[in-house]
Amino acid sequence: MSAEAIIEVDDLVARYGDATILEHVDFSVRRGEIFVIIGASGCGKSTLMRHMIGLDRPWSGTVKIEGVDIHSSGPQFRVALQKIGVLFQNSALFGSMTLAENVALPIAEYSRLPAGLVDQLVRMKLCMVELSGFEAHLPSEISGGMKKRAALARAMALNPEILFLDEPTSGLDPVISAEIDHLIRHINESLGTTMVIVTHDLGSILNIADRAIMLDKGRRGIIAEGDPRQLRENPGHEDVRRFFHREARSESLPR
Amino acid sequence: MESNSNPDTPSYEVHRSETGDIRIELKGKYDVRTAPAMRRRLAASLGAPNGGRVVIDLSQVSHLDDFGALLLSDLRQRVEAGGLSFSLDRVPETVGQILSLVHFDDETVCRPLPRKERPNAVVRFGQTVLRHAFNTRYMVSFLGSALLALFSVMVRPRRLRWGDTLIQMEKTGVDALPIVGLIGFLLGLVMAFTSALQLEQFGANIYVASLVALAMVSELGPIMTAIVVAGRSGSAFAAEIGTMRISEEIDALFVMGFHPTLFLAVPRIVACILVVPLLTLFADLFAIAGGLVVGVFMLDLTPHSYIGQTMKTLTLFEVNWGLLKSVVFAALVSWVGCLRGFQARGGAASVGNAATSAVVTAIFLIILFDSVFAVIRSYW
């Protein structure tokens, strides 16, 4: 593993019941990079992310964040959790709370700042994601793109060292997707936050990713790893070429 | 003055000039971990400045995030509240980026967040009246829709989704047998115990059987069973249909040309109407068995005499009256469960509210209609 690795996934096997989703997955994420997990639907991208953030326990293997096993019990686990923030695919904002309350929740709980300063910090967070003026809105009153940005502000509430983003641009139009990509890149550059992104969005992958891994359903593991622009030029594998050139499998086309 | 040799350790130096100007040199890393503590220390060392300017030199800051920006914003507020001028000096490019990202120069950032204001009593009263009016309108509309759908099923039974109806009959009826049987048995036991204490004094032990049978078959059996079904199945109907409502599954049914009431509500209502009377009979039998246990083991009655007295007391009319009640209660419980599910709007909380409201409304309607039955019976 690289010395600058902030996340180390070592020989991970993921199983649900009798179904093996991932087998012997090995990779590391470097500090400060934008790392993208790509692959066809059902190949185990979200499963891999759920294991990386400690929501699911691996069948075997380990996931370490700054050397601490995310699946260990006790205080170590709490420390590891404080280093990560997660943007879920459907935003997962609390529907009964305003955007400001959603963002303030972790800040008020963990930062021990006085209420007035929590308010200021929440306004700053919402400014960062360009949602200034929407503090009092409920999630049901804003668009999908705004929900993603609000959820991003909440995920960044305590400035975690690593942000996990599950399909941050899914269901958004190309302009809003580009805005989200820009925001991700901007936060990465300004705050040095390491980003781990699960996405299908080819535009996003080529625009913002520093490095990518591609998972394959049949092999239940990684089939390609590297700079996505280089992977597009030199795929080295038929499935990788199809993915980057948006080609359908000939056997799946109607005859 | 605070200083440290490690370039990332946050520290500061305060220089005061003879004119009263203050220059604070910040050094090191001001982030989520260090900024809150440094904010308190800086505020304490700054004290209450009198006159002059306060200049913050950021040239030696190695890293600053929005928590660091918050420290500067707080400092600015304190200084400006004292009537002094505040400025930043020698701002590194990376720090400048963060300050522009959080709109540091925008004064609105310092304002408190808007709080939810509770409307005054008049507005709340108006909102409650309107809510009840809309609720009543929807109830009437859904009642009409359910009756029409039931009528269409009676005319053309093939329109009923028999597969779903059987599944609902199993969930509402078969799965409820253990709890209904247990509650019925214990209820019979308690009634027999309580009444035996009084009747024993008059040598009227045998009337324990009459009391248990009559009270259970005509009154408590239908009510108790309907309340159990409201808690188990009425809430489940509301939660299930409510979840379908908020996840747009009902909209999908509608645009595919299905009648949502016919598709979702009618199988549940029909299933309840068919199985709740059977559950009521089951509860009645177990209650009589509970009474029998007390009669035989405490009151020295023989099983034969207890059952004989029960048969003598119960008429076919009493049994039918109890079954008629249970049919009405079943229709009410299932109708309210589906109604509350269809009314769910918004998020997860509305599904919870729908389930709660389904149970509360169903129990209220059960008691209300039981009173109506009692009045009808008194004039029979």
Side-chain angles (χ1 to χ4, degrees):
Chain A
M1 293 283 168
S2 161
E4 58 189 339
I6 189 167
I7 306 174
E8 291 163 299
V9 177
D10 187 18
D11 200 22
L12 181 90
V13 178
R15 297 181 72 174
Y16 292 128
D18 292 336
T20 302
I21 314 295
L22 297 166
E23 267 181 339
H24 309 297
V25 171
D26 252 318
F27 66 93
S28 61
V29 179
R30 297 168 194 157
R31 187 181 296 278
E33 75 175 345
I34 298 183
F35 185 86
V36 178
I37 301 168
I38 57 179
S41 297
C43 69
K45 301 186 295 293
S46 294
T47 300
L48 177 57
M49 194 173 119
R50 287 182 65 83
H51 282 77
M52 289 172 78
I53 59 179
L55 287 178
D56 288 340
R57 191 167 277 277
W59 179 260
S60 67
T62 56
V63 177
K64 287 182 180 168
I65 290 178
E66 287 197 322
V68 175
D69 188 347
I70 190 80
H71 299 100
S72 62
S73 52
Q76 275 192 322
F77 169 68
R78 308 282 316 167
V79 172
L81 270 188
Q82 281 170 11
K83 294 180 193 295
I84 66 172
V86 183
L87 169 66
F88 290 96
Q89 191 173 353
N90 61 0
S91 302
L93 291 168
F94 301 116
S96 57
M97 295 181 182
T98 62
L99 299 194
E101 287 167 340
N102 265 285
V103 178
L105 189 67
I107 298 174
E109 183 71 21
Y110 296 109
S111 72
R112 294 183 186 174
L113 287 170
L117 291 182
V118 171
D119 283 7
Q120 270 189 55
L121 194 59
V122 168
R123 281 193 187 277
M124 286 179 173
K125 298 277 182 196
L126 289 173
C127 282
M128 286 170 88
V129 295
E130 289 159 19
L131 280 178
S132 182
F134 290 90
E135 291 84 0
H137 283 61
L138 290 170
S140 56
E141 296 167 346
I142 58 173
S143 69
M146 291 162 96
K147 276 184 199 165
K148 293 271 186 189
R149 281 187 273 156
L152 188 58
R154 190 181 66 180
M156 290 171 24
L158 296 169
N159 289 352
E161 289 176 40
I162 309 159
L163 261 181
F164 289 88
L165 301 102
D166 191 2
E167 305 273 8
T169 56
S170 71
L172 304 178
D173 69 55
V175 176
I176 306 283
S177 295
E179 286 173 10
I180 298 273
D181 287 346
H182 176 74
L183 194 58
I184 291 169
R185 176 50 86 184
H186 202 41
I187 290 166
N188 168 260
E189 284 172 357
S190 310
L191 297 173
T193 313
T194 306
M195 305 276 186
V196 179
I197 306 174
V198 168
T199 185
H200 274 125
D201 188 336
L202 202 52
S204 292
I205 297 163
L206 295 170
N207 279 339
I208 62 171
D210 294 320
R211 220 150 54 86
I213 55 167
M214 184 165 178
L215 300 178
D216 181 66
K217 191 175 182 179
R219 286 169 186 76
R220 296 173 186 149
I222 299 170
I223 53 167
E225 182 172 356
D227 183 327
R229 288 153 292 270
Q230 287 177 5
L231 287 178
R232 185 176 61 167
E233 299 309 318
N234 305 300
H237 192 285
E238 190 56 20
D239 288 336
V240 181
R241 192 184 63 77
R242 277 201 201 103
F243 184 88
F244 280 102
H245 294 272
R246 301 171 195 259
E247 279 181 21
R249 288 186 301 267
S250 57
E251 64 271 20
S252 68
L253 294 172
R255 291 170 198 281
Chain B
M1 186 181 295
E2 283 196 9
S3 62
N4 199 302
S5 55
N6 184 343
D8 271 349
T9 306
S11 62
Y12 60 87
E13 285 179 19
V14 181
H15 304 278
R16 294 173 196 270
S17 73
E18 288 173 2
T19 57
D21 291 352
I22 299 174
R23 185 175 185 83
I24 302 174
E25 288 175 11
L26 298 186
K27 298 173 182 175
K29 200 172 175 180
Y30 287 80
D31 63 7
V32 59
R33 279 159 202 85
T34 58
M38 291 307 288
R39 183 191 67 82
R40 287 190 292 273
R41 283 155 66 179
L42 252 172
S45 23
L46 192 62
N50 47 355
R53 296 179 305 149
V54 175
V55 178
I56 312 291
D57 183 340
L58 299 173
S59 59
Q60 294 178 72
V61 170
S62 60
H63 176 76
L64 181 135
D65 68 5
D66 46 352
F67 280 76
L70 182 72
L71 172 146
L72 294 177
S73 173
D74 182 50
L75 209 56
R76 178 176 62 186
Q77 279 175 273
R78 285 170 191 275
V79 168
E80 288 178 351
L84 311 179
S85 77
F86 174 92
S87 60
L88 300 178
D89 191 22
R90 299 203 290 170
V91 181
E93 194 184 337
T94 52
V95 173
Q97 274 179 0
I98 292 289
L99 294 180
S100 95
L101 195 64
V102 300
H103 297 206
F104 182 75
D105 293 327
D106 184 352
E107 284 182 6
T108 57
V109 168
C110 301
R111 288 188 197 151
L113 288 168
R115 303 289 171 211
K116 277 183 209 159
E117 282 184 22
R118 191 173 154 81
N120 65 41
V122 177
V123 173
R124 275 184 282 137
F125 177 74
Q127 285 172 339
T128 308
V129 169
L130 281 177
R131 196 174 58 246
H132 283 295
F134 285 125
N135 187 25
T136 308
R137 191 180 73 172
Y138 193 86
M139 278 174 100
V140 172
S141 145
F142 185 71
L143 179 65
S145 170
L147 287 175
L148 275 177
L150 281 169
F151 181 72
S152 80
V153 163
M154 278 192 273
V155 175
R156 290 172 62 194
R158 286 181 62 188
R159 295 196 71 182
L160 180 66
R161 296 175 58 79
W162 283 104
D164 283 354
T165 309
L166 287 172
I167 291 170
Q168 293 301 334
M169 283 170 75
E170 186 185 341
K171 283 186 184 171
T172 309
V174 180
D175 294 352
L177 283 176
I179 187 70
V180 167
L182 182 67
I183 292 177
F185 183 80
L186 293 175
L187 210 56
L189 213 71
V190 171
M191 271 196 294
F193 256 129
T194 316
S195 56
L197 292 175
Q198 301 300 320
L199 294 173
E200 211 174 10
Q201 296 174 28
F202 306 102
N205 287 352
I206 191 66
Y207 290 108
V208 168
S210 304
L211 192 143
V212 170
L214 208 55
M216 201 64 200
V217 168
S218 67
E219 196 61 42
L220 291 179
I223 288 188
M224 185 275 294
T225 310
I227 289 174
V228 171
V229 170
R232 280 189 81 255
S233 304
S235 57
F237 295 166
E240 203 175 342
I241 296 175
T243 308
M244 292 179 78
R245 162 66 81 190
I246 64 169
S247 58
E248 297 180 326
E249 288 176 46
I250 292 177
D251 297 340
L253 277 177
F254 183 77
V255 296
M256 282 191 286
F258 291 100
H259 190 310
T261 311
L262 186 63
F263 196 95
L264 295 171
V266 171
R268 287 166 173 80
I269 294 173
V270 171
C272 268
I273 288 174
L274 292 177
V275 298
V276 172
L278 299 176
L279 275 179
T280 305
L281 279 181
F282 190 74
D284 293 346
L285 287 175
F286 269 76
I288 290 167
L292 180 71
V293 169
V294 174
V296 171
F297 292 104
M298 276 189 61
L299 306 175
D300 298 328
L301 298 173
T302 63
H304 184 263
S305 62
Y306 188 94
I307 292 168
Q309 182 64 23
T310 301
M311 298 299 284
K312 208 165 86 182
T313 310
L314 287 180
T315 60
L316 194 60
F317 176 80
E318 296 293 350
V319 177
N320 286 339
W321 186 252
L323 290 181
L324 175 70
K325 276 185 175 181
S326 70
V327 168
V328 173
F329 295 163
L332 289 172
V333 167
S334 53
W335 172 72
V336 163
C338 296
L339 166 79
R340 295 302 185 219
F342 277 106
Q343 280 181 309
R345 292 284 186 283
S350 68
V351 177
N353 291 340
T356 307
S357 176
V359 177
V360 174
T361 314
I363 292 175
F364 168 72
L365 287 177
I366 289 166
I367 304 297
L368 180 74
F369 274 75
D370 193 52
S371 314
V372 173
F373 274 111
V375 172
I376 294 171
R377 184 79 191 270
S378 67
Y379 287 104
W380 196 270

